[in-house]
Amino acid sequence: MPETDLADAAIEWFDANARDLPWRAPGTSAWAVLVSEIMLQQTPVARVLPAYEAWLARWPEPAALAADTPAEAIRMWGRLGYPRRAMRLHECAVAIVARHGGEVPADLDALLALPGVGAYTARAVAAFAYGQRQPVVDTNVRRFVARASRGKADAGPTTTPADLADTEALLPVEPARAARASAAFMELGAVVCTARSPRCADCPVVDACGWRAEGRPMPTGPTRRPQQYAGTDRQVRGLLLAVLRESHDPVPAGALDVVWADAVQRDRALRSLLDDGLVSPAGEGLYTLAGEA
């Protein structure tokens, strides 16, 4: 199957089978796309949906968030996980207001210059918000392209220039259709061409898939184990933040001490929150969320 036919087949499948997600709705703003992409990093769609809707109901544009405090961004983030993303979104909103008059830029370099916006997120916003021809390459796209184009089980642990080039080579020339293909590749990787149990019978490009032609060889590298949460510093950080989110006044250290019995681990987690700028000291033995008014 020629590369353009592969994209056409993926788009046709996507048009009929794509999940109905709010950030895909016609007329979705670039700000809403940016919020969704940052929230979706390392977080399942089901957990993101309520947080995304609540966030945009409160801050429907960058200026609204920029006018609020970082503490409110952290508080609103709730238990979505990886709360530094809330700080980055706040910093991003401030930068968008200061540099771009409150409008999310369409230029790739300008997107890359925003705080917390990396190569994937910048290209995703350029493609999905502005209909540009950009290789949008996340883990799911890398796996789909590696299998379909190169006959490999996966594409390795990190995104490389070759991954971008391989994906771009599959995109139609017309920008809007290329953006649609990028969304289709991502959806196929997320729900059909999955890591552990690929549904090859449901794949629209199965007859052209190099991985299937090679007999679906297994990955040759080490298997990535799921990240543990229970008992980790991440869990302790979350418990400490939960106490601070509930209060708009400085919280005494004693109120934080009760959330975790291991004092050494608890202190380490608190120091990491301070180092990350998520928590600020507010006097002797008192703490607040960063930027608490």
Side-chain angles (χ1 to χ4, degrees):
M1 181 183 291
E3 292 169 345
T4 54
D5 289 348
L6 187 148
D8 288 343
I11 292 169
E12 182 178 358
W13 173 88
F14 183 73
D15 289 344
N17 297 280
R19 290 170 291 177
D20 183 15
L21 301 175
W23 45 84
R24 290 175 175 167
T28 299
S29 70
W31 170 242
V33 172
L34 176 58
V35 170
S36 74
E37 290 296 342
I38 291 180
M39 285 188 169
L40 286 163
Q41 293 168 11
Q42 299 178 282
T43 308
V45 167
R47 290 188 62 203
V48 166
L49 282 169
Y52 167 86
E53 291 168 349
W55 187 280
L56 289 176
R58 181 168 180 177
W59 299 306
E61 56 188 24
L65 177 57
D68 217 328
T69 65
E72 286 305 303
I74 299 168
R75 188 169 281 117
M76 195 69 175
W77 197 259
R79 302 188 67 84
L80 195 57
Y82 303 99
R84 278 179 291 182
R85 292 179 293 171
M87 292 284 290
R88 298 292 86 81
L89 258 176
H90 186 273
E91 293 168 3
C92 198
V94 171
I96 289 168
V97 170
R99 302 175 195 173
H100 305 288
E103 298 294 329
V104 177
D107 177 73
L108 182 61
D109 288 337
L111 286 165
L112 287 167
L114 293 174
V117 174
Y120 163 77
T121 302
R123 288 179 169 85
V125 172
F128 302 146
Y130 293 112
Q132 296 179 18
R133 187 180 188 273
Q134 298 285 353
V136 183
V137 181
D138 69 353
T139 299
N140 291 321
V141 173
R142 291 174 62 241
R143 181 174 56 253
F144 170 74
V145 172
R147 288 175 175 174
S149 293
R150 288 189 261 141
K152 297 184 180 297
D154 59 40
T158 58
T159 300
T160 67
D163 294 321
L164 293 173
D166 287 348
T167 303
E168 186 171 11
L170 297 175
L171 298 178
V173 173
E174 199 274 316
R177 192 158 180 81
R180 193 72 174 167
S182 289
F185 296 163
M186 189 174 297
E187 186 79 342
L188 279 166
V191 303
V192 174
C193 193
T194 57
R196 291 188 175 86
S197 302
R199 295 161 40 209
C200 294
D202 298 326
C203 182
V205 302
V206 63
D207 292 336
C209 178
W211 184 56
R212 182 173 178 270
E214 293 291 332
R216 302 196 349 168
M218 297 301 292
T220 56
T223 301
R224 182 181 297 179
R225 295 181 179 179
Q227 290 184 335
Q228 299 296 316
Y229 181 74
T232 64
D233 285 5
R234 278 187 59 217
Q235 182 183 17
V236 184
R237 282 165 57 100
L239 293 170
L240 295 172
L241 280 178
V243 175
L244 291 162
R245 284 198 305 270
E246 291 299 316
S247 176
H248 288 271
D249 297 316
V251 173
L256 299 176
D257 291 346
V258 300
V259 306
W260 197 256
D262 186 335
V264 173
Q265 187 177 22
R266 187 180 65 242
D267 290 345
R268 183 171 66 240
L270 179 58
R271 285 197 305 273
S272 73
L273 290 170
L274 290 163
D275 290 343
D276 287 345
L278 291 162
V279 173
S280 299
E284 186 66 30
L286 296 172
Y287 300 94
T288 66
L289 292 177
E292 187 75 82

